[in-house]
Amino acid sequence: MALILPEMEKKPLILLDNGLPPAGSRRSPPMLVVMVGLPATGKTLLSKKLAKYLNWIGHKAKVFRVSDYRRKHVELYSHDLFRCSNSEATEMRKKSAMEAMDDARNYLLQGGQLAVLDGTNCDRATRAQVMDTFGCQHKIRVLFIECVCDDEDLLESNTKEILKHSSDYKEMNLEKAVEDFRLKMEHYLEQYQTMSAKREPTVSFIRLVNAGETVTARGMDGPLHARILSIAPLFAPTAKTLYFSRHGESEYNMLGRIGGDADLSPRGRLYAQALSRYFTDKVRVPGLRVFVSEKKRTQQTAAGLPAAYQVLPALNELDAGVCEGLTYEEMQEKYPQEFAWRDRDKLRYRYPWGESYVDICRRLEHVLLDLEHSNNVLVVAHQAVLRCMLGYFLNKDGAELPYLNVPLHTVIKLTSEGFNYRMEMVRLNVECVDTYRKQPRNCSDVRSAEEALKTVPKHFDNLKFWANAPTPLIEQH
């Protein structure tokens, strides 16, 4: 990369349900990010990922795609829509752009913190109009991000993704789609004007060449500008595959105990061997990287893999504080009020002297950024941590995170498909306990122990299971 990026701003915020950051924090003034560039340069993917990440760290952000508004006015798509001489289509596209700008403006004036206007915005007159509407009339800060691509391989890769996933081409055969896209690019080249500090001296902009290979910037004047400048080059537009797995079944899993630093159970060690065979014999991922936590059970699970593992403290399991090592039955008996509070709001509940899911989301920020520009990575971690990571990539709401089902002895594969990810679960044939717990219907402070423990998973009452004949799982009280 050709630019030393500035330091990130202070620790980011996690939004509450009402869309506001925690009490005592300061909201950033609203900002419009305007994408600039020719087709197949990675604009839309960058805008989607930028908004997703900023939402994750607490900035209320939303993408407004001009093409979505254009499709409302046109049933049949053709490259002719972008021909300069097609005056009717030009007026329709201008109308679509204005509709997107109106919605973005209303979003920011009604409490949104960051709107991304995703379109080519290919000439200076269009960009001047955006500056006048948002900057002059409404005093909203405007940042342009120009994506430039002269790498033939990257252009070809980006074009394939567009032809495969864009709704514009879903009714065309490949040969026709390729020709239509070529002509569309020619139409845009006739009118495209690159960003220029000399000709547009009052605007702030970032230029990314070849998805961040070279980065230049002008007019950066605040912490949010600095954060966007530092993370935008990390969102590579190339296709990727990521793998996730919980550690093998641990002794604490068998006993229904939370937290701790227990060893793998005998079945957990069998899973570690099965996981090694899976990545050695079945999938053989080239250049595989492996991330694990500081806990023994993740490192024992990854020990036989065909790649050395890297220990990341950010992947440690949620710290249960005073409840570390307790079963849910013991927690209900000792701290019934805490148990009820946790059931009522599992996302934000923080164990006494411990952590919440929100805390995990915060400490995972830099790991997620690493994965955003990585490929062929296996993360071996813990249930709560993987819930947060999968929730990020699958665009889940915060309230869903604590209840995503991430079973033991299962490899989870995420494959990028356009702006989204396709998830596959591969269960390896090693038995284990089920640790998934649904949210109980009754979360009252005065509920009975029987009501509180209704959804607690069954588990063994001791580790003699391995010395004797198999015994049934204990029934809950």
Side-chain angles (χ1 to χ4, degrees):
M1 190 177 296
L3 177 72
I4 299 177
L5 301 177
E7 294 183 0
M8 287 188 175
E9 63 175 310
K10 294 180 180 179
K11 193 72 173 178
L13 309 174
I14 299 295
L15 288 178
L16 305 180
D17 274 346
N18 58 7
L20 299 176
S25 62
R26 299 175 61 186
R27 288 174 62 89
S28 300
M31 177 187 294
L32 177 74
V33 172
V34 184
M35 305 305 297
V36 178
L38 293 168
T41 54
K43 300 185 307 300
T44 299
L45 184 68
L46 175 57
S47 65
K48 290 280 188 178
K49 291 196 171 189
L50 184 64
K52 178 176 70 173
Y53 185 77
L54 291 174
N55 270 312
W56 180 263
I57 65 174
H59 298 281
K60 193 176 179 183
K62 186 175 180 179
V63 177
F64 298 85
R65 297 179 63 197
V66 175
S67 60
D68 290 338
Y69 292 83
R70 181 253 300 165
R71 292 185 188 104
K72 295 177 183 179
H73 299 295
V74 181
E75 293 183 6
L76 297 176
Y77 168 82
S78 166
H79 68 86
D80 194 57
L81 292 170
F82 306 94
R83 190 189 300 275
C84 296
S85 58
N86 188 339
S87 58
E88 184 178 349
T90 299
E91 288 303 312
M92 180 274 297
R93 289 192 292 112
K94 287 181 178 179
K95 180 180 179 181
S96 301
M98 288 302 301
E99 291 172 346
M101 288 170 59
D102 288 344
D103 284 352
R105 179 192 61 216
N106 292 335
Y107 172 76
L108 293 174
L109 295 179
Q110 293 170 11
Q113 290 180 280
L114 186 135
V116 183
L117 184 64
D118 177 25
T120 55
N121 297 295
C122 60
D123 60 85
R124 297 186 187 103
T126 299
R127 298 194 288 266
Q129 183 180 22
V130 173
M131 283 296 298
D132 178 67
T133 301
F134 288 85
C136 299
Q137 296 181 29
H138 296 286
K139 308 304 179 186
I140 294 171
R141 292 187 300 163
V142 180
L143 171 66
F144 293 90
I145 299 181
E146 182 178 25
C147 295
V148 179
C149 188
D150 56 16
D151 183 304
E152 292 298 328
D153 291 337
L154 186 56
L155 272 173
E156 182 180 357
S157 174
N158 291 346
T159 302
K160 286 181 179 179
E161 287 293 299
I162 291 172
L163 299 182
K164 183 177 180 181
H165 300 292
S166 173
S167 57
D168 287 340
Y169 299 102
K170 63 182 180 181
E171 303 298 334
M172 293 187 193
N173 61 47
L174 181 59
E175 183 178 353
K176 183 178 179 181
V178 169
E179 177 63 12
D180 185 278
F181 188 82
R182 184 187 67 79
L183 292 171
K184 176 182 175 180
M185 182 71 83
E186 288 183 1
H187 300 329
Y188 269 118
L189 284 169
E190 292 176 5
Q191 50 191 308
Y192 184 69
Q193 296 172 310
T194 189
M195 299 287 300
S196 167
K198 182 178 181 180
R199 293 181 174 85
E200 299 169 273
T202 62
V203 303
S204 299
F205 69 86
I206 299 169
R207 178 180 290 114
L208 302 174
V209 179
N210 297 331
E213 181 182 278
T214 303
V215 182
T216 56
R218 181 191 184 282
M220 301 293 99
D221 65 352
L224 187 53
H225 274 176
R227 179 173 284 277
I228 292 172
L229 177 61
S230 64
I231 64 177
L234 303 180
F235 298 119
T238 53
K240 68 170 63 180
T241 302
L242 302 172
Y243 299 88
F244 302 86
S245 173
R246 288 177 67 183
H247 53 77
E249 179 190 69
S250 72
E251 293 177 347
Y252 266 23
N253 290 146
M254 291 181 59
L255 298 173
R257 299 192 177 279
I258 59 177
D261 193 15
D263 290 304
L264 295 181
S265 71
R267 295 191 299 196
R269 293 194 288 273
L270 289 176
Y271 175 72
Q273 297 171 14
L275 187 67
S276 175
R277 289 194 298 272
Y278 180 81
F279 281 97
T280 302
D281 302 331
K282 190 167 184 179
V283 294
R284 295 186 181 182
V285 179
L288 179 67
R289 297 167 63 201
V290 182
F291 297 161
V292 300
S293 77
E294 294 178 310
K295 303 301 181 181
K296 291 186 294 184
R297 53 195 184 273
T298 63
Q299 297 178 33
Q300 291 169 358
T301 302
L305 289 167
Y309 59 74
Q310 181 179 350
V311 178
L312 302 181
L315 295 179
N316 287 348
E317 180 60 303
L318 186 149
D319 186 345
V322 299
C323 296
E324 280 281 308
L326 298 183
T327 64
Y328 285 130
E329 294 88 351
E330 292 169 344
M331 184 176 176
Q332 164 62 27
E333 182 180 356
K334 293 185 177 182
Y335 311 109
Q337 179 75 78
E338 297 288 337
F339 200 45
W341 284 340
R342 183 172 187 269
D343 284 343
R344 196 175 304 158
D345 187 359
K346 195 173 178 181
L347 176 67
R348 294 165 187 80
Y349 171 81
R350 179 179 287 123
Y351 284 101
W353 305 107
E355 289 182 302
S356 68
Y357 272 83
V358 170
D359 295 324
I360 294 177
C361 292
R362 285 172 171 163
R363 62 171 155 94
L364 283 176
E365 289 169 33
H366 296 294
V367 179
L368 293 172
L369 282 178
D370 192 353
L371 294 178
E372 280 285 10
H373 66 98
S374 300
N375 190 23
N376 296 340
V377 177
L378 167 63
V379 178
V380 181
H382 309 267
Q383 181 170 240
V385 170
L386 292 182
R387 281 171 168 166
C388 294
M389 299 184 83
L390 292 172
Y392 170 79
F393 285 105
L394 298 175
N395 291 313
K396 298 295 184 180
D397 291 334
E400 296 181 75
L401 299 185
Y403 296 102
L404 294 179
N405 192 5
V406 185
L408 288 166
H409 295 184
T410 302
V411 178
I412 300 173
K413 179 181 178 182
L414 294 186
T415 306
S416 61
E417 292 187 339
F419 318 129
N420 301 311
Y421 283 87
R422 173 168 50 88
M423 182 173 72
E424 302 173 69
M425 286 195 174
V426 181
R427 176 67 186 264
L428 302 189
N429 191 26
V430 180
E431 290 296 318
C432 59
V433 294
D434 182 2
T435 63
Y436 183 72
R437 180 176 179 241
K438 295 180 181 179
Q439 183 180 25
R441 293 182 179 180
N442 186 350
C443 300
S444 168
D445 297 349
V446 294
R447 64 186 176 178
S448 66
E450 181 180 4
E451 282 289 321
L453 298 173
K454 265 187 177 179
T455 61
V456 171
K458 296 179 181 181
H459 52 81
F460 294 96
D461 57 359
N462 60 62
L463 295 177
K464 295 180 181 178
F465 168 81
W466 301 110
N468 305 314
T471 57
L473 299 178
I474 67 168
E475 296 293 334
Q476 302 308 321
H477 302 297

